Amino acid sequence: ITATSKTNPGSPSTGASAVPFDPPTPPLAGSAVISKVLLAATAGEASAQGTYGATALSPSSSWDVSPSSGGFTWSYPLRLPPVPGGRAPGVSLGYSSQTVDGRTSTTNNQGSWLGEGFGYEPGYVERRYKPCQDDGHSDSGDLCWSHDNVLLMLNGRSSELVRTGDTWRFASDDGSRVERLGGPGSANGAVNGDNDGEHWKVTTTDGTQYFFGLNRLPGWSPGAAETASAWTVPVFGDDAGEPCHQGTFAAGFCQQGWRWNLDHVQDLHGNVMSYFYEQESNAYAMGRRTDVAGAAYTRGGWLKRIDYGQRAGAVFTAPAAARVVFDTAERCVPTGDMACREQDLTAGTANAWPDVPFDRLCAVGSVCTDDQASPTFWTRKRVTAITTEIRSGAAWSPVDTWMLEHFFTDNADGSRTLWLHTITHQGRAGGGDPLVMPTVRLDSLQLDNRIKRPDDPVGLLIRPRLATVHTDAGGRIDVRYAPTDCSAQALPAAGSSVRRCFPVIWHPGGVTAPVTDWFHKHVVEAVTETDATTVDAGTGRALDLVTGYENLGEAAWRRRA
């Protein structure tokens, strides 16, 4: 992609913001969640709108366009109080249109705790498992061991890990040392819910140590807080040599981690940070048993708080100097007398949770139905406020709060999507009434993901993308996406596409033969920045800076099985 910029004095904005969506529903009640789970799980009936199973991962903000993919990104960093030692986490709310482009009929299409396309996660390690149906057990809805695969996300970078003997490396090796601790036959396992205490440690070239899934931090004693950072699911080892293998298939399973979240960081100078999570538990009918209580697993969760300004070995004996607290609420639209509390979700109120699959909810200790025969991965939560606090004696004093408001978009395809609509920054240091910054507003534009054929009985798949940002500095950023490159009447041959669309093979509900569908890749054509505080002397209009993008050559795709 090549990019050119020009200033248009005295011209109105030419950005691609369609008429902004006004919230079709009242603002959600109240003040994390997994984003994309890299597991190969089945989740009941598949539909065009996706599944709840898992698939194969100036102004106070800034934007960018990826030169290689044409995706639009927007970042809103949060300002954190400094602490002695200088070690503080980086917290930024980020948007990527490529996340939305990746939504297909075979993916888990529930948006993150921030909303569709938005995300913040400090880091994690994940492993993929496969449906036992793909391992010779046609009647099973369980997960089976696939192979020793690992994906790691840290500091905004995600990479597959490559195993060489007893060591691991990033696929693009940067010199970091990756260690799997615990695991089969190991004596250094963590007490974290995984069957053999598996967890991970990464040491970067500057000597900083990152721990994932440790759960009980150094210095822990009974009664102290645990991080709840390791999320597990029952996994069957049906072949000899696989973890948890037993003489019979029914007995050969154990709880294994599918995600180990970052929960402890220590630098060379002994400064540490600690991350604490909340888990969401669910159950499913293991082995399709509907006569006993379902098997428990972690369906998702969210980041509860970050403590920093700590010293190594003193996490539980010396209080942190500062922290970041994340407040959450139900992904619910209040109706009538229903207050959107956790206990209010019932069969009669399920429509008030538009993107929560009530039919996959089976409480731990309950008997699950045959429709709940597979683990599914989703959340009921959204983040509503992020507050930074500093230690003041034995109490905490707030410094800054960012209030987040959401609504559910009507996607015109039978689905609704959680959308982050506004961010309002409040300065609260010193007590008294907060100082409130102008609100950042995020408007969306709906674009087709799935290319629907005229004779196609399967529904549409439409998702919102960020189209306009009204900044807190009084400016405006408009994103214009290029016209689509494929149509139902002119599709490339599968495996040889050089256009901006890609195929996905899947089984719609009730269809036995696999179906090949095509999905658009939307790229940015232009971004228009309007500075409302600066006007052209001749016209009196705000100045526009327009950056245009041109795609050179053909699209290049890599097939992923």
Side-chain angles (χ1 to χ4, degrees), residues 404-468:
L404 281 62
E405 286 194 1
H406 299 84
F407 66 84
F408 284 98
T409 62
D410 184 344
N411 296 327
D413 63 2
S415 68
R416 298 174 70 183
T417 298
L418 185 72
W419 181 257
L420 177 57
H421 190 223
T422 62
I423 304 171
T424 304
H425 181 192
Q426 301 176 355
R428 301 174 61 188
D433 294 334
L435 300 176
V436 182
M437 288 281 291
T439 293
V440 175
R441 195 182 87 208
L442 307 166
D443 295 335
S444 61
L445 170 71
Q446 289 182 326
L447 297 173
D448 286 322
N449 277 36
R450 183 173 178 271
I451 301 174
K452 184 170 173 59
R453 301 181 300 274
D455 59 346
D456 187 354
V458 182
L460 297 168
L461 176 60
I462 301 171
R463 284 296 178 269
R465 286 163 176 82
L466 185 58
T468 301

Side-chain angles (χ1 to χ4, degrees), residues 28-29 328-332 340-342 353 380-382:
L28 302 188
T328 59
E330 292 284 303
R331 300 167 77 104
C332 169
C340 284
R341 299 167 302 177
E342 186 171 344
W353 278 257
R380 294 174 52 166
K381 302 296 182 179
R382 61 185 180 88

